[in-house]
């Protein structure tokens, strides 16, 4: 399995950011991998305070990087420290793209690690800004991921999430459950068009059969990669289906894909990924579907 060569970790020096950095170190990193530790410093006024604030921020970066190296016990890991300026989400997305990072790792917000992120938080804005996959770390990383729930979208947006999830976990020690929420597309429109109950039932059954075939094929593919794998098909809205399954299965990571879609503020519009990232109790991996 291809290991990670470059991981970017956003830090504001809070407990949540420390957890994110520890999780980054526990991921399957390639020999001599680079972990970039980045702190984005807002533009401050009056400017007379800027040099002292920068000096304090750089000292904090040095301390956190030193702690990460001690935790690694002298490995060949390289830590690159970056002090950026401007809004944190924009800075993280910019650095991740510029350095072709494999992954961006962040805490949810301010170290609280609680569900339901505030609108405007760095993590949520990053989901809208970043073309690089984002891992939001909520739990203390005491061990590698053991059970990953992958939300499968038949439209293809979950392919990148599944591929990356398999890179983040420890082979046979991890189970991967693929989940699809069977919610017939345009259901309300179909009903309004005067479709009979019998015909609607046939459409739903056909949709479920297509999903079952796809899930069975994908599960076999994952098993061939050496993972324990199974699949589930549930009726209902994807957001509630994913969260309910994650709690029931005690998943420690939920992985899902999303397409780029923004409103005027830059937030993802009606996104399942945004909803799950805000409310899941476990870590969440969001991967963007590659542009055509």
């Amino acid at each position: 399995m291809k290991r990670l060569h470059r991981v970017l970790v956003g830090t504001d020096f809070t407990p949540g950011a420390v957890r994110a950095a520890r999780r980054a170190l526990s991921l399957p990193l390639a020999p001599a991998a680079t972990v970039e530790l980045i702190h984005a410093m807002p533009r401050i006024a009056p400017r007379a305070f800027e040099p002292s604030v920068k000096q304090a921020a750089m000292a904090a970066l040095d301390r956190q990087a030193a702690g990460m190296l001690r935790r690694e016990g002298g490995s060949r890991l390289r830590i690159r420290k970056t002090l950026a300026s401007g809004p944190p989400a924009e800075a993280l997305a910019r650095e991740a793209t510029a350095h072709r990072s494999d992954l961006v790792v962040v805490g949810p917000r301010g170290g609280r690690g609680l569900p339901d992120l505030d609108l405007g938080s760095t993590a949520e804005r990053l989901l809208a800004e970043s073309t690089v996959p984002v891992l939001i770390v909520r739990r203390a990383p005491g061990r590698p991921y053991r059970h990953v729930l992958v939300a499968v979208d038949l439209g293809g947006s979950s392919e990148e999430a599944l591929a990356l999830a398999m890179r983040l976990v420890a082979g046979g020690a991890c189970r991967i459950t693929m989940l699809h929420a069977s919610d017939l597309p345009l259901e309300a429109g179909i009903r309004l068009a005067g479709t009979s109950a019998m015909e609607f039932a046939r459409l739903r059954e056909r949709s479920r059969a297509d999903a079952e075939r796809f899930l069975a094929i994908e599960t076999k593919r994952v098993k061939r990669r050496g993972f324990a794998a199974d699949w589930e098909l549930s009726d209902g809205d994807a957001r509630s289906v994913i969260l309910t399954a994650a709690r029931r299965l005690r998943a420690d990571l939920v992985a899902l894909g999303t397409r780029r879609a923004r409103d005027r503020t830059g937030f993802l519009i009606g996104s399942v990924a945004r909803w799950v990232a805000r409310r899941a109790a476990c870590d969440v991996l969001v991967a963007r579907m590659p542009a055509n």
Side-chain angles (χ1 to χ4, degrees):
M1 189 68 64
K2 186 179 179 182
R3 296 193 167 201
L4 303 172
H5 288 272
R6 192 173 196 99
V7 175
L8 187 151
V9 180
T11 183
D12 57 3
F13 313 118
T14 60
V18 172
R19 283 196 299 270
R22 288 177 55 196
R23 172 56 71 184
L25 295 180
S26 74
L27 297 174
L29 301 172
T34 297
V35 173
E36 181 176 5
L37 190 63
I38 177 171
H39 174 69
M41 193 183 75
R43 298 178 180 89
I44 60 175
R47 291 186 177 274
F49 291 100
E50 191 169 325
S52 60
V53 172
K54 282 186 176 180
Q55 184 177 9
M58 200 66 225
L61 276 174
D62 289 339
R63 287 193 297 271
Q64 187 168 355
M68 293 168 68
L69 287 172
R70 285 196 300 271
R71 181 174 290 274
E72 281 298 282
S75 72
R76 290 188 294 163
L77 174 72
R78 295 179 293 181
I79 296 182
R80 183 174 184 265
K81 296 165 291 185
T82 299
L83 186 60
S85 62
E90 293 179 12
L92 290 170
R94 182 175 63 246
E95 287 290 320
T97 300
H99 293 104
R100 298 181 180 180
S101 300
D102 296 307
L103 184 67
V104 181
V105 184
V106 293
R109 181 180 175 89
R112 292 179 299 169
L114 298 174
D116 198 10
L117 298 180
D118 296 337
L119 288 175
S121 71
T122 296
E124 189 166 2
R125 287 185 179 275
L126 186 60
L127 295 182
E129 295 289 341
S130 179
T131 57
V132 174
V134 176
L135 176 63
I136 299 174
V137 178
R138 290 191 179 277
R139 294 180 176 174
R143 64 181 188 183
Y145 293 123
R146 299 290 180 86
H147 196 163
V148 180
L149 179 67
V150 179
V152 174
D153 174 9
L154 303 189
S157 66
S158 57
E159 292 178 5
E160 187 76 10
L162 174 59
L164 183 56
M166 288 191 288
R167 293 177 65 188
L168 298 188
V169 298
C174 179
R175 172 169 290 277
I176 295 178
T177 297
M178 286 180 288
L179 171 71
H180 177 69
S182 181
D183 191 10
L184 191 63
L186 304 177
E187 180 172 329
I190 293 171
R191 289 188 181 278
L192 286 173
T195 305
S196 68
M198 184 176 296
E199 187 174 357
F200 183 80
R202 283 200 295 266
L203 286 172
R204 179 173 287 282
E205 189 59 35
R206 189 182 308 157
S207 177
R208 286 182 62 86
D210 289 344
E212 287 177 358
R213 282 193 293 271
F214 182 82
L215 288 167
I217 291 171
E218 288 297 287
T219 299
K220 288 180 181 178
R221 183 169 71 87
V222 172
K223 286 181 176 179
R224 286 197 294 269
R225 302 290 293 272
F227 296 94
D230 55 10
W231 60 268
E232 293 188 5
L233 179 62
S234 298
D235 290 324
D237 180 80
R239 295 171 297 181
S240 59
V241 166
I242 293 168
L243 292 175
T244 299
R247 288 192 297 267
R248 174 173 49 83
L249 297 172
R250 297 182 180 178
D252 43 20
L253 176 66
V254 172
L256 66 168
T258 187
R259 295 179 175 84
R260 181 175 296 278
R262 302 187 193 180
D263 64 13
R264 287 181 298 175
T265 67
F267 288 130
L268 297 169
I269 302 171
S271 169
V272 173
R274 177 185 173 191
W275 180 275
V276 172
R278 293 180 79 183
R279 291 168 173 80
C282 61
D283 295 1
V284 178
L285 170 68
V286 179
R288 181 82 60 199
M289 185 178 182
N292 294 328

